[in-house]
Amino acid sequence: RRLVQSSLAGPIPQLLRTYMITISPTAAVASARARHSLKTSNARRLGVVLSCPGRGAASPAVGARGSRPAHIPRASNGAGDGGVEDVEDKKNVWALDFDGVVCDSCGESALSAWKAATELWPDVFTTPDAMAKKERVVEDMRTVRPVVETGYENIVQVRCLLEGVTPADMLDNWSTMLPEYMAKWDLDRSSLVELFGRTRDDWIAADLDGWLAPNRIYPGVAEAMDQLMVEHEVYIVTTKQARFTEMILERMAFIDFPGDRIYSQTVSGRPKSEVLQMLQERHPGTRYHFVEDKYSTLKKVEKESTLDAWNLYLVDWGYNVQSERDEATASGRINMV
């Protein structure tokens, strides 16, 4: 508790201060165990980030690695005299990725991909041999999840894994492997996106609880996010189709999140950097924060000079690997959480 309090100095939302100081570590760990969480301290670490936008991603006091003080932009007062106004009283803009930051959807994505692949290639996926390998393939999907950019890629991955591609090879070569196998099997992106979405819709219509069950909200993240929405402007910027994001937030995180604040790259085709630019223009002269689990996405944002005002955060409980976390720590711009 003292460590958390020491990192909460300065002007922060009082509700978040109260939440982070009173959270029980024992309860947080119990919740994590109950949900089979990958991490047990997400609530504390992410909560400190959300409640201290003027600080780094997290201070060493709460166990974050390689953090540096976050950039704090200051807005012009518009008076033309070179003065500036403090942005402390302005609402910050928070753009949160969904899968890997708020929700662990790996189990559901793998099972939905298997269902979609069974429809697409019934002669391949309904054989006794395929059914015998299903459990192993679904488990391997968690290993290769860090290289997935968009959900439809899961369909291609399950067939690759079923036919003998190793997880290690996929982790090293997926960027070139994906177009090669899509050409080999005569696939196109739009058809796979439609199939993946329809497969999920059909599953939801037939068994909503069954579809929700493999998804997990990371412990403490929903509470921190709910408190953040009280004081700041919060958006979801994701590759997941918006209707699925909204449903998981409502049914599993118990957050009534506005649908018009969920930006889905899968549907629009707009890169996340463009969405961030749009949000920056919509809310000028404040602080901006982008929380991701994909290091490759943060690197793209880092290269955009028009997005220099954004504080960038990589969460270590998401879909990334140690080499990416080490590189992010050494970048000088990206804050590890």
Side-chain angles (χ1 to χ4, degrees):
R1 184 178 300 171
R2 287 193 297 272
L3 293 177
V4 174
Q5 285 177 303
S6 71
S7 66
L8 293 179
I12 63 173
Q14 184 60 41
L15 285 173
L16 281 177
R17 180 197 296 270
T18 301
Y19 166 66
M20 290 311 307
I21 291 176
T22 59
I23 185 171
S24 165
T26 302
V29 171
S31 173
R33 287 174 177 168
R35 300 185 189 184
H36 305 285
S37 172
L38 300 179
K39 302 289 179 182
T40 60
S41 56
N42 300 348
R44 184 180 300 162
R45 288 185 286 149
L46 186 60
V48 170
V49 174
L50 300 186
S51 61
C52 302
R55 301 172 69 88
S59 72
V62 292
R65 298 170 302 202
S67 299
R68 69 172 181 84
H71 170 63
I72 305 175
R74 298 178 68 86
S76 169
N77 63 7
D81 59 359
V84 295
E85 65 175 357
D86 202 311
V87 299
E88 297 294 349
D89 295 330
K90 288 194 174 186
K91 289 185 175 182
N92 285 201
V93 174
W94 287 89
L96 309 178
D97 180 37
F98 188 71
D99 294 319
V101 172
V102 178
C103 177
D104 176 11
S105 61
C106 192
E108 180 274 322
S109 295
L111 292 171
S112 290
W114 185 276
K115 289 175 179 285
T118 300
E119 177 180 333
L120 186 60
W121 301 294
D123 56 328
V124 175
F125 279 82
T126 58
T127 67
D129 180 62
M131 295 308 297
K133 294 177 179 177
K134 178 179 178 180
E135 185 175 350
R136 186 265 300 168
V137 170
V138 170
E139 184 61 30
D140 284 347
M141 288 290 286
R142 178 169 294 280
T143 302
V144 300
R145 183 60 179 81
V147 297
V148 173
E149 294 286 346
T150 307
Y152 77 90
E153 298 173 30
N154 288 277
I155 301 174
V156 185
Q157 284 189 331
V158 291
R159 181 164 180 182
C160 288
L161 291 168
L162 180 64
E163 297 193 350
V165 176
T166 67
D169 191 19
M170 194 173 288
L171 285 171
D172 290 339
N173 303 297
W174 183 241
S175 61
T176 56
M177 192 179 293
L178 175 62
E180 289 174 1
Y181 278 97
M182 288 187 68
K184 176 182 178 180
W185 294 325
D186 194 25
L187 304 171
D188 70 89
R189 182 186 188 278
S190 60
S191 296
L192 290 179
V193 168
E194 188 279 330
L195 173 61
F196 201 48
R198 176 165 49 81
T199 300
R200 281 171 157 165
D201 285 331
D202 291 346
W203 189 0
I204 290 168
D207 181 14
L208 174 59
D209 289 340
W211 178 78
L212 288 170
N215 292 285
R216 296 178 293 173
I217 301 298
Y218 292 107
V221 173
E223 293 86 344
M225 183 177 170
D226 197 41
Q227 296 292 338
L228 186 71
M229 292 169 62
V230 174
E231 295 288 338
H232 298 292
E233 304 286 357
V234 183
Y235 296 87
I236 298 291
V237 183
T238 178
T239 58
K240 199 182 202 76
Q241 295 184 50
R243 64 187 183 276
F244 304 126
T245 302
E246 191 171 3
M247 184 175 297
I248 292 172
L249 284 171
E250 177 185 353
R251 298 298 186 101
M252 300 195 73
F254 307 107
I255 294 176
D256 184 15
F257 197 86
D260 61 0
R261 290 194 168 218
I262 301 174
Y263 289 91
S264 171
Q265 181 183 2
T266 299
V267 176
S268 68
R270 299 176 67 185
K272 291 187 178 183
S273 57
E274 287 188 12
V275 176
L276 297 182
Q277 182 64 47
M278 179 271 294
L279 294 177
Q280 184 173 309
E281 293 170 358
R282 179 181 296 178
H283 303 281
T286 187
R287 294 191 180 102
Y288 309 98
H289 312 274
F290 181 37
V291 185
E292 254 285 357
D293 74 302
K294 296 288 292 181
Y295 178 54
S296 59
T297 300
L298 292 176
K299 285 200 297 184
K300 292 174 185 175
V301 173
E302 192 176 19
K303 293 177 181 178
E304 296 288 339
S305 60
T306 57
L307 301 177
D308 283 348
W310 285 83
N311 296 288
L312 305 180
Y313 308 93
L314 181 70
V315 299
D316 70 0
W317 60 82
Y319 308 128
N320 47 61
V321 296
Q322 187 60 50
S323 60
E324 292 175 319
R325 295 191 284 271
D326 292 341
E327 191 174 337
T329 298
S331 71
R333 168 86 187 275
I334 298 171
N335 299 277
M336 281 301 306
V337 185

